[in-house]
Amino acid sequence: MTASPDGRFALDLFAGNAPYTTVLLYDLEKGKRSAQLDQAHSLFWQGNRFLFERFSGQQAMLSSKSF
């Protein structure tokens, strides 16, 4: 697991057949899952934004989710 810079969120990665992986984001303060990103690959946190790649067919798109 990797935590956000403020320690509030953590992410976990479940591997499938690459690049079809799932990233799960957990809110550690609330004790529940806050997001499930299918067909995605985690990149890094930038402040309160989580940046990731999402795959569609043979294309990859850079995306972010703010918290």
Side-chain angles (χ1 to χ4, degrees):
M1 270 197 182
T2 302
S4 62
D6 63 5
R8 180 173 175 196
F9 294 94
L11 66 93
D12 201 357
L13 178 69
F14 288 92
N17 292 328
Y20 304 107
T21 56
T22 299
V23 176
L24 300 175
L25 288 157
Y26 294 94
D27 185 327
L28 300 176
E29 285 182 0
K30 295 180 180 177
K32 66 178 188 175
R33 186 170 64 194
S34 61
Q36 178 174 326
L37 308 169
D38 295 319
Q39 297 183 8
H41 177 74
S42 62
L43 295 177
F44 58 90
W45 289 92
Q46 185 177 45
N48 67 341
R49 290 182 345 149
F50 174 64
L51 282 82
F52 60 97
E53 284 182 308
R54 182 161 272 169
F55 300 94
S56 178
Q58 298 296 322
Q59 296 181 358
M61 298 165 282
L62 182 62
S63 300
S64 69
K65 186 161 182 65
S66 295
F67 294 94

